[in-house]
Amino acid sequence: MKRVITFGEIMLRLSPPGFQRFAQARSFDVVYGGAESNAAVSLANYGLDSAFVTLLPANPIGDAAVNELRSFGVDTSGIARKGSRVGIYFYEKGVSMRPSKVVYDRKGSAIAEIAPGDLDWDAVFAGADWFHFTGITPALSEGAARETLAAVKAAKAHDVTVSCDLNYRKNLWSREEAGRVMGEIVPMVDVLIANEEDAADVFGIHAAETDISAGKLNVEGYRSVASQLVARFGCKLVAITLRESISASDNNWSGMLYDGADGEMYVSKKYAIRLVDRLGGGDSFGSGLIYALLSGYSRQEAVEYAAAASALKQTIEGDVNRVSVAEVRSLMGGNASGRVQR
């Protein structure tokens, strides 16, 4: 069984019930999630040996986060219990023309205070096949940036395939900081994943004839984006999610995969999604791609699997993707009617 390691922050997510605004809320729904922990859950659901590495405080909230991961079969043995708090984020779900809103309360979280020696990377990567992280983790603090770089170097030393989702977050760091830090890390990345804006935000590489705010994407423009990323950093594969935002309730969703070896681009079919919860969509794309590549899928099949998995996730409440391989493959095969299964 292939073993995948993910490294990042898991947070407590608090959301007003339904489509209430923050000002209306008298209670919050509770889930746990974070980019890399979401990926770990998806990979465990697909039957891989999936492990999540982080720092969490040794208190009941830290325990709850660990237990949530364990409930999905994620290996939590690499989690160090240190620090004083779990990061929190508040999520107000948008609808129609009203956008969703996220407010972070993560300053001083356990992983942001990570120090050299808190994690034993040689032990973490023993027997591992793949390592996945996102650009969110090095954005958390200088210490987290240093540790992410150390993790990637250790993964390469252990001959582990490395993937990274750029995941630029403007509330965590500037474009200049992101470009500097990620510019040092990405040359060691084998599979680079981004959304339709990340390459522009982090590296100043723009897709021609694209207007994100208007939901107008030029797929061919992303061939140039991917080829420039390969030329600059030497990545073997570049994958980009393509979200056409019609409204907060309706999106078109697809993905592309560019092979740096031969310059071929593979584009998935497009899904029209009535959104239930879009958070975690990119994470489920990345984890779907990892699963498909580790399972020997062709390039076209891999991007189809990733797009179908992430389309399904966005119909599910919460951060994590609670679907099986069979459900993803059914959608890949064209079963998108949504008819009741009896």
Side-chain angles (χ1 to χ4, degrees):
M1 184 187 298
K2 299 294 186 180
R3 180 168 174 81
V4 182
I5 311 297
T6 72
F7 169 57
E9 181 172 33
I10 185 170
M11 292 183 290
L12 173 66
R13 168 177 144 177
L14 302 176
S15 303
F19 294 98
Q20 289 183 8
R21 307 214 67 185
F22 288 135
Q24 293 175 278
R26 297 298 177 266
S27 65
F28 288 104
D29 294 329
V30 175
V31 297
Y32 290 87
E36 297 88 354
S37 61
N38 294 344
V41 169
S42 283
L43 292 164
N45 284 342
Y46 299 148
L48 297 185
D49 181 5
S50 175
F52 178 62
V53 178
T54 192
L55 268 65
L56 284 170
N59 63 29
I61 305 302
D63 294 343
V66 170
N67 290 338
E68 179 75 0
L69 291 164
R70 286 177 176 162
S71 73
F72 290 101
V74 174
D75 179 358
T76 61
S77 61
I79 295 178
R81 305 307 295 271
K82 182 180 178 181
S84 60
R85 68 175 304 234
V86 175
I88 299 171
Y89 81 95
F90 300 85
Y91 174 47
E92 177 185 286
K93 192 181 299 183
V95 66
S96 191
M97 72 289 295
R98 176 169 62 83
S100 299
K101 292 187 177 182
V102 173
V103 177
Y104 289 108
D105 177 18
R106 66 200 308 179
K107 186 176 181 180
S109 65
I111 192 172
E113 297 179 347
I114 193 169
D118 284 341
L119 298 170
D120 182 348
W121 290 114
D122 286 330
V124 166
F125 290 121
D129 298 285
W130 196 291
F131 175 53
H132 179 71
F133 69 101
T134 81
I136 296 173
T137 303
L140 295 174
S141 66
E142 289 186 12
R146 287 194 300 269
E147 202 64 20
T148 303
L149 180 60
V152 173
K153 288 180 177 179
K156 300 305 289 185
H158 284 263
D159 198 28
V160 172
T161 300
V162 176
S163 61
C164 170
D165 188 335
L166 282 177
N167 254 353
Y168 175 69
R169 295 291 185 268
K170 65 182 179 181
N171 291 330
L172 291 177
W173 56 358
S174 68
R175 289 181 173 87
E176 292 73 23
E177 290 174 304
R180 175 179 57 81
V181 173
M182 299 307 293
E184 185 177 3
I185 294 174
V186 172
M188 293 179 283
V189 169
D190 300 293
V191 181
L192 185 63
I193 305 164
N195 68 20
E196 66 281 355
E197 298 177 278
D198 286 333
D201 287 332
V202 179
F203 297 123
I205 300 174
H206 297 265
E209 299 180 29
T210 286
D211 184 344
I212 301 298
S213 60
K216 177 187 175 185
L217 303 181
N218 173 27
V219 175
E220 274 300 317
Y222 287 97
R223 180 194 296 271
S224 174
V225 170
S227 66
Q228 290 181 67
L229 288 168
V230 168
R232 186 181 300 186
F233 300 111
C235 306
K236 296 176 183 176
L237 297 171
V238 174
I240 300 176
T241 57
L242 303 170
R243 185 186 297 276
E244 298 170 80
S245 295
I246 300 166
S247 71
S249 301
D250 296 281
N251 286 182
N252 291 329
W253 178 262
S254 58
M256 60 148 287
L257 180 64
Y258 180 87
D259 192 328
D262 56 18
E264 287 293 320
M265 182 174 75
Y266 305 87
V267 181
S268 76
K269 61 170 65 77
K270 185 183 294 186
Y271 296 95
I273 308 173
R274 174 60 56 88
L275 295 169
V276 172
D277 193 333
R278 63 171 283 174
L279 296 192
D283 308 327
S284 55
F285 180 90
S287 52
L289 185 67
I290 292 166
Y291 169 79
L293 292 172
L294 280 174
S295 300
Y297 287 29
S298 70
R299 301 293 192 243
Q300 186 65 51
E301 289 173 325
V303 73
E304 294 288 2
Y305 188 96
S310 50
L312 284 170
K313 190 277 143 212
Q314 293 172 82
T315 69
I316 298 170
E317 287 276 7
D319 261 50
V320 301
N321 200 9
R322 300 167 182 263
V323 298
S324 66
V325 173
E327 289 172 314
V328 178
R329 292 196 61 85
S330 176
L331 181 57
M332 284 174 63
N335 185 7
S337 67
R339 292 177 61 87
V340 176
Q341 297 181 355
R342 301 182 190 275

